[in-house]
Amino acid sequence: MTVLCVGSVALDSVETPFGKADNVLGGSGNFFSASASHLSPVQLVGVIGNDYPIADLRAKFASRPIDLTGVEQADGASFRWRGRYRHDLNVAETLETHLGVFSNFRPKIPDQFRNAPFVFLGNIDPRLQLDVLTQVNKPKLVACDTMNFWIESRRPDLMKLLERVDLITLNDAEARQLTEEFNLVKAARWIMNHGPKFVVIKKGEHGAFMFTQSSIFFAPAYPLESVFDPTGAGDSFAGGFMGYLARTGDLSEASLRRAVVYGSAMGSFAVEKFSVDRLLEINGDDVRKRVADIYQLVSFEQDLA
Amino acid sequence: MTVLCVGSVALDSVETPFGKADNVLGGSGNFFSASASHLSPVQLVGVIGNDYPIADLRAKFASRPIDLTGVEQADGASFRWRGRYRHDLNVAETLETHLGVFSNFRPKIPDQFRNAPFVFLGNIDPRLQLDVLTQVNKPKLVACDTMNFWIESRRPDLMKLLERVDLITLNDAEARQLTEEFNLVKAARWIMNHGPKFVVIKKGEHGAFMFTQSSIFFAPAYPLESVFDPTGAGDSFAGGFMGYLARTGDLSEASLRRAVVYGSAMGSFAVEKFSVDRLLEINGDDVRKRVADIYQLVSFEQDLA
């Protein structure tokens, strides 16, 4: 099955202790698509300016099942982000953000995308996320992401959105901010009481929790010896998660658990190189091997002693 | 089999967002013993002052297989620690530390303890940890803990100790400080290159890694809805880990992995109440249930799709 993603299509400039990259492909939409496309076809909706290296984007995504029909070109500058990581790669320091055409983005879902069974509403204004939901036909699963800025400035809209989605992915700090509960178990319960059936709380290098009404699942981040650039790890996680669900079409708990592990695997690839480079290098065998490695990482036999 | 623990027997005064406790049983030796004693007999070696409520300690440990013969009473004040946790329960703020008789502690291993097959050298001066090793007879496994203070002030002795132990437990910050490697995989490899066959890196609420020459295992901390007081979680983890190994006498990787999970389980009990209170309330069924819950928390089936 297909997964529809509405997200940012940006240019990132990143500095880490290991190198720097300027104006490379970035944004939640790109990371999500590069990741999910290993598992299912992706339909991407976003906006770019006149200055975007669209030929480069098309070339890089050419061999992958990513439909770029929904990436609209608008007059103006593309969304650019410049950031830096120091030794604690878990913390991004934003140096510059230029929203450009992204600040007037009004997602238009192409007709041929409206029946996508899996919908991922990337981190944009919750009013726009709500608007996207009026443009799609009864998806099997709708998931959204959000961030501190929207939690602060658009809480009423975000709360309306929560009632309309099946699942939300957010990081631990965002979960705490949204719910005003420090404890993540309580925070997840609060969120589930406000709409979503499932809550995925991402903790960066510390892994991710998935909460359902009756269970908690945890998958660690894969412990890499070299983390090169953490940018896009969370969006790649979401891509692996949604891509896996779209591939199987199975929303059982067993399947959702595997989806979290695929998310963790894809997040771990994303951080091995700048931009979407590593995500575009790997193949299905690499993905299966990483999932198997995560299985080994946490597996133990209970004894009854 | 029996586990010998050399550690602190202290009085803690703790304030958390949920309450406060004054002069309650604390110290690495007490937490380790209360924890490990659910799995194997414990021999505790430590020192207390004239002011220690030894009758209270004896009464609390009376029903548990903890031999207190090695807890020496010395002239002076007991080791006291006063600390506070705010909402981020992962960070302890030390308000007062009075070493008292602990500052002149010279562990004397009673004759009947010298053949203990499992030895845990709690967080004390590495010179004393080394000295303990001259007093024991070929243990099956020796593990040590340490802390930032010794890494800074006693590095040469600590490096000698590393050559003599099979396993070290330390937290992520300490691993980074000891090895000057930010990446924990590299840090663990550095440590294994300097002696220990096994390295356990504790990350508090974010779980624990166990590194061997050929594998990495990870166990999450159990996500509790109410963490009451994190004091002693790491020592309780060590107690669960060593207690499990001592119970089975099995040093295979499968057994070491289960030991990490028992460590995680015992750490999660420790934080549910002040002091060793929760560790002394629970029984074997509670422990098995918590281990089963951790199993459920991380378990997923691989698919070959």
Side-chain angles (χ1 to χ4, degrees):
Chain A
M1 298 183 190
T2 299
V3 57
L4 166 65
C5 169
V6 180
S8 59
V9 180
L11 291 170
D12 288 348
S13 295
V14 185
E15 204 181 320
T16 79
F18 316 108
K20 57 188 300 216
D22 278 314
N23 295 311
V24 292
L25 302 184
S28 63
N30 279 340
F31 280 105
F32 183 97
S33 301
S35 168
S37 65
H38 283 280
L39 299 158
S40 64
V42 181
Q43 298 169 330
L44 178 59
V45 172
V47 65
I48 55 177
N50 324 92
D51 56 347
Y52 205 83
I54 183 71
D56 186 30
L57 180 67
R58 287 195 193 287
K60 287 203 164 155
F61 285 180
S63 67
R64 311 224 51 86
I66 301 171
D67 187 335
L68 297 172
T69 312
V71 178
E72 170 198 357
Q73 193 146 24
D75 242 17
S78 297
F79 181 9
R80 287 171 197 255
W81 177 79
R82 179 180 293 276
R84 179 164 59 192
Y85 301 84
R86 302 193 189 262
H87 275 283
D88 182 353
L89 293 163
N90 229 14
V91 182
E93 186 185 344
T94 291
L95 302 175
E96 292 175 47
T97 303
H98 300 288
L99 290 177
V101 295
F102 193 65
S103 60
N104 294 311
F105 180 40
R106 295 287 170 275
K108 284 179 281 296
I109 310 301
D111 284 346
Q112 68 273 30
F113 288 9
R114 293 174 184 254
N115 291 314
F118 288 83
V119 174
F120 183 73
L121 306 169
N123 165 30
I124 56 175
D125 188 329
R127 297 177 188 189
L128 302 179
Q129 291 173 311
L130 279 162
D131 185 64
V132 169
L133 291 183
T134 67
Q135 301 180 53
V136 295
N137 298 322
K138 295 190 187 156
K140 206 171 150 72
L141 183 103
V142 176
C144 73
D145 193 13
T146 193
M147 71 182 292
N148 50 3
F149 181 74
W150 308 122
I151 295 171
E152 256 168 63
S153 62
R154 291 277 192 270
R155 181 176 282 270
D157 302 295
L158 185 56
M159 295 309 296
K160 264 185 240 165
L161 179 69
L162 287 186
E163 290 171 21
R164 304 281 312 274
V165 301
D166 303 294
L167 185 146
I168 182 169
T169 67
L170 70 186
N171 71 32
D172 43 359
E174 292 157 356
R176 285 171 174 145
Q177 186 191 2
L178 173 61
T179 65
E180 295 173 351
E181 285 283 2
F182 188 83
N183 182 283
L184 296 180
V185 182
K186 287 183 183 164
R189 170 134 358 108
W190 188 99
I191 296 171
M192 288 188 283
N193 286 340
H194 289 83
K197 284 193 292 289
F198 310 111
V199 176
V200 173
I201 298 182
K202 301 171 288 178
K203 302 198 298 168
E205 63 164 324
H206 299 304
F209 281 111
M210 178 180 65
F211 296 86
T212 74
Q213 287 296 341
S214 58
S215 71
I216 310 179
F217 176 64
F218 176 82
Y222 187 73
L224 294 165
E225 194 151 344
S226 302
V227 175
F228 193 77
D229 171 14
T231 309
D235 302 311
S236 304
F237 176 98
F241 179 83
M242 292 294 284
Y244 181 81
L245 292 180
R247 181 172 75 183
T248 62
D250 175 0
L251 296 178
S252 68
E253 174 155 344
S255 175
L256 286 160
R257 287 179 170 233
R258 279 193 292 268
V260 173
V261 175
Y262 274 84
S264 176
M266 300 313 291
S268 75
F269 285 120
V271 305
E272 291 184 317
K273 294 203 171 174
F274 279 127
S275 183
V276 293
D277 291 359
R278 183 71 179 134
L279 291 171
L280 296 181
E281 264 175 22
I282 56 171
N283 61 31
D285 284 343
D286 297 315
V287 176
R288 278 184 290 274
K289 165 94 171 54
R290 185 62 53 90
V291 168
D293 286 344
I294 295 173
Y295 186 84
Q296 280 308 314
L297 178 64
V298 295
S299 74
F300 69 95
E301 286 161 38
Q302 295 188 81
D303 72 350
L304 304 168
Chain B
M1 296 182 190
T2 299
V3 56
L4 166 66
C5 169
V6 180
S8 58
V9 180
L11 290 172
D12 287 348
S13 295
V14 185
E15 203 179 320
T16 81
F18 315 109
K20 57 187 301 216
D22 279 313
N23 294 311
V24 292
L25 301 184
S28 63
N30 279 340
F31 280 105
F32 183 97
S33 301
S35 168
S37 66
H38 283 281
L39 299 158
S40 64
V42 181
Q43 297 169 331
L44 178 59
V45 171
V47 65
I48 55 176
N50 323 91
D51 56 346
Y52 206 82
I54 184 71
D56 187 29
L57 180 67
R58 289 195 191 286
K60 286 202 165 158
F61 284 0
S63 68
R64 310 223 54 84
I66 302 171
D67 187 335
L68 296 172
T69 313
V71 178
E72 169 198 358
Q73 192 146 23
D75 240 19
S78 298
F79 182 8
R80 287 171 197 256
W81 177 78
R82 178 181 294 276
R84 179 164 59 192
Y85 301 84
R86 300 192 190 264
H87 274 285
D88 182 352
L89 293 163
N90 229 13
V91 181
E93 186 186 342
T94 291
L95 301 175
E96 293 175 47
T97 304
H98 300 288
L99 290 177
V101 294
F102 194 63
S103 61
N104 293 311
F105 180 38
R106 296 285 170 278
K108 283 179 282 297
I109 310 302
D111 283 346
Q112 68 272 33
F113 287 10
R114 292 174 185 254
N115 290 315
F118 289 83
V119 173
F120 183 72
L121 305 169
N123 165 29
I124 55 174
D125 187 329
R127 297 179 188 187
L128 302 180
Q129 291 173 313
L130 279 164
D131 185 65
V132 168
L133 292 182
T134 66
Q135 300 181 53
V136 295
N137 297 322
K138 296 192 186 153
K140 205 169 150 72
L141 183 103
V142 176
C144 73
D145 194 12
T146 192
M147 72 181 290
N148 50 3
F149 181 74
W150 308 121
I151 296 171
E152 258 169 62
S153 62
R154 292 275 193 271
R155 181 176 281 270
D157 300 296
L158 185 56
M159 294 310 296
K160 262 185 240 165
L161 178 69
L162 287 185
E163 292 172 21
R164 304 280 312 275
V165 302
D166 302 294
L167 186 147
I168 182 170
T169 68
L170 70 187
N171 71 31
D172 43 358
E174 291 157 354
R176 286 170 173 144
Q177 187 192 0
L178 173 61
T179 65
E180 295 173 353
E181 286 283 1
F182 188 82
N183 182 282
L184 296 180
V185 182
K186 287 183 182 162
R189 169 133 359 104
W190 188 99
I191 296 171
M192 287 188 284
N193 285 341
H194 288 83
K197 285 194 292 290
F198 310 111
V199 176
V200 174
I201 298 182
K202 300 171 288 179
K203 303 198 299 169
E205 64 164 325
H206 299 304
F209 280 112
M210 178 181 65
F211 295 86
T212 75
Q213 287 296 342
S214 59
S215 72
I216 309 180
F217 176 64
F218 176 81
Y222 187 73
L224 294 165
E225 193 150 344
S226 302
V227 175
F228 193 78
D229 171 16
T231 309
D235 302 311
S236 304
F237 176 98
F241 180 83
M242 293 294 285
Y244 181 81
L245 292 180
R247 182 173 74 182
T248 63
D250 175 0
L251 296 178
S252 68
E253 174 155 345
S255 174
L256 286 159
R257 285 178 171 233
R258 280 193 291 269
V260 173
V261 175
Y262 274 83
S264 177
M266 300 311 293
S268 75
F269 285 119
V271 305
E272 291 185 316
K273 294 204 170 172
F274 280 127
S275 182
V276 293
D277 290 359
R278 184 71 180 133
L279 291 171
L280 296 181
E281 263 175 24
I282 56 171
N283 61 32
D285 283 345
D286 296 315
V287 175
R288 279 184 290 274
K289 166 93 170 55
R290 184 62 53 89
V291 167
D293 286 345
I294 295 174
Y295 185 84
Q296 281 308 312
L297 177 66
V298 295
S299 74
F300 68 96
E301 286 160 38
Q302 294 189 81
D303 72 350
L304 305 167

